[in-house]
């Protein structure tokens, strides 16, 4: 029963991400060649992220993995594996940016696009399929951020848009963390420390990139 529930959750996550990627491909304002490039890059990094979660699970449970691999691999990773996956993925993205194979702002815009749509779909399905009352707050937050993203997208600089969405998401999640007993993204619990660290790290990277004039 527990395995079936986990499989259902994974299925909802995959569907949500697939919808986000499809929306980006068909409705992004990017030129066709750029759209394909960054859609492919998004898919690649999403696959990497999933693999990194599995790697994180193994690294955090090496002794158990050696004794009983299925006990580690049979279930989705916990929050710590999620944190490691975020770190490893960030390292790859920064590396590609430094190698000038990736425009950080354009990729971050595409990632934000997919993230917000996928999160909205995920929380909506959680609310409808599982009657999860905690999903309502996250559904409203992602919906508000989506409206802001699309409404002001062509009205301000990309740097300002990304910082606004990052700040809005951080403040919103911290508020929900105060209202609800826990806060989660795609089912992974997020602690206050991670949320604040993520905001500072991403904000610092965006500011440094903007100062170097690579937008």
């Amino acid at each position: 029963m527990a395995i079936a529930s986990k499989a259902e959750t994974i299925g909802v996550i995959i569907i949500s991400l697939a919808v986000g990627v499809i929306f980006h491909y068909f409705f992004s304002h990017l030129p066709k060649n750029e759209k394909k490039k960054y859609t492919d890059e998004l898919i690649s990094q999403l696959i990497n992220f999933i693999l990194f979660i599995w790697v994180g699970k193994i690294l955090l449970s090496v002794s158990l993995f050696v004794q009983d691999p299925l006990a580690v691999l049979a279930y989705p990773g916990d929050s710590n594996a999620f944190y490691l996956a975020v770190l490893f993925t960030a390292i790859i993205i920064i590396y590609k940016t430094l190698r000038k194979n990736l425009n950080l702002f354009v990729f971050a815009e595409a990632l934000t696009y997919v993230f917000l749509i996928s999160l909205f779909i995920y929380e909506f399905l959680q609310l409808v399929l599982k009657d999860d009352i905690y999903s309502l707050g996250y559904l409203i937050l992602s919906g508000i951020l989506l409206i802001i993203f699309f409404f002001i997208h062509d009205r301000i600089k990309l740097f300002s848009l990304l910082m606004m969405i990052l700040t809005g998401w951080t403040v919103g999640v911290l508020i929900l963390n105060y209202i609800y007993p826990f806060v989660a993204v795609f089912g992974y619990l997020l602690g206050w420390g991670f949320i604040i660290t993520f905001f500072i790290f991403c904000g610092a990277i965006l500011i440094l990139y903007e100062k170097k004039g690579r937008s």
Side-chain angles (χ1 to χ4, degrees), residues 125-193:
L125 291 176
Q126 289 293 103
L127 187 63
V128 172
L129 298 178
K130 295 187 176 181
D131 197 25
D132 186 353
I133 59 172
Y134 295 121
S135 292
L136 182 59
Y138 306 123
L139 181 68
I140 294 173
L141 174 61
S142 58
I144 291 173
L145 292 176
L146 271 173
I147 292 172
I148 293 173
F149 182 85
F150 289 119
F151 182 74
I152 67 174
H153 183 276
D154 297 323
R155 301 168 185 254
I156 61 176
K157 288 179 60 177
L158 188 51
F159 166 74
S160 301
L161 173 65
L162 293 172
M163 287 298 298
M164 184 177 295
I165 296 298
L166 175 63
T167 303
W169 179 82
T170 303
V171 172
V173 168
L174 289 175
I175 291 173
L176 290 176
N177 202 18
Y178 178 78
I179 297 173
Y180 294 152
F182 61 86
V183 63
V185 170
F186 296 115
Y188 291 95
L189 300 180
L190 303 183
W192 283 72

Side-chain angles (χ1 to χ4, degrees), residues 3-215:
I3 295 178
S5 178
K6 294 292 184 182
E8 181 183 349
T9 299
I10 293 173
V12 171
I13 293 174
I14 292 174
I15 291 172
S16 302
L17 291 173
V19 171
V21 171
I22 291 171
F23 262 79
H24 174 265
Y25 184 80
F26 284 103
F27 298 107
S28 171
H29 71 287
L30 291 173
K32 187 175 181 179
N33 59 330
E34 288 285 291
K35 184 186 299 184
K36 184 179 186 305
K37 173 185 175 181
Y38 283 95
T39 300
D40 289 344
E41 186 64 36
L42 277 169
I43 294 173
S44 175
Q45 294 307 324
L46 287 173
I47 292 173
N48 284 339
F49 187 82
I50 293 172
L51 293 176
F52 285 146
I53 289 180
W54 290 89
V55 171
K57 287 169 55 179
I58 295 172
L59 292 176
L60 293 169
S61 308
V62 174
S63 58
L64 178 60
F65 178 75
V66 172
Q67 297 174 8
D68 186 3
L70 289 179
V72 176
L73 300 177
Y75 296 95
D78 59 10
S79 297
N80 291 324
F82 181 86
Y83 297 161
L84 284 178
V86 171
L87 175 61
F88 295 153
T89 304
I91 290 173
I92 289 181
I93 294 172
I94 292 172
Y95 173 76
K96 286 194 171 187
T97 300
L98 294 175
R99 290 288 301 273
K100 298 183 179 180
N101 294 327
L102 206 63
N103 183 308
L104 181 62
F105 283 170
V106 177
F107 178 78
E109 176 196 17
L111 183 60
T112 301
Y113 193 119
V114 172
F115 174 76
L116 291 178
I117 291 178
S118 299
L119 186 60
F120 183 85
I121 297 296
Y122 175 83
E123 299 299 348
F124 176 78
L125 291 176
Q126 289 293 103
L127 187 63
V128 172
L129 298 178
K130 295 187 176 181
D131 197 25
D132 186 353
I133 59 172
Y134 295 121
S135 292
L136 182 59
Y138 306 123
L139 181 68
I140 294 173
L141 174 61
S142 58
I144 291 173
L145 292 176
L146 271 173
I147 292 172
I148 293 173
F149 182 85
F150 289 119
F151 182 74
I152 67 174
H153 183 276
D154 297 323
R155 301 168 185 254
I156 61 176
K157 288 179 60 177
L158 188 51
F159 166 74
S160 301
L161 173 65
L162 293 172
M163 287 298 298
M164 184 177 295
I165 296 298
L166 175 63
T167 303
W169 179 82
T170 303
V171 172
V173 168
L174 289 175
I175 291 173
L176 290 176
N177 202 18
Y178 178 78
I179 297 173
Y180 294 152
F182 61 86
V183 63
V185 170
F186 296 115
Y188 291 95
L189 300 180
L190 303 183
W192 283 72
F194 173 80
I195 297 168
I196 295 173
T197 301
F198 181 81
F199 170 76
I200 294 173
F201 177 80
C202 291
I205 294 297
L206 291 174
I207 291 171
L208 288 173
Y209 195 79
E210 169 70 7
K211 285 186 176 180
K212 288 186 176 182
R214 295 183 181 178
S215 57

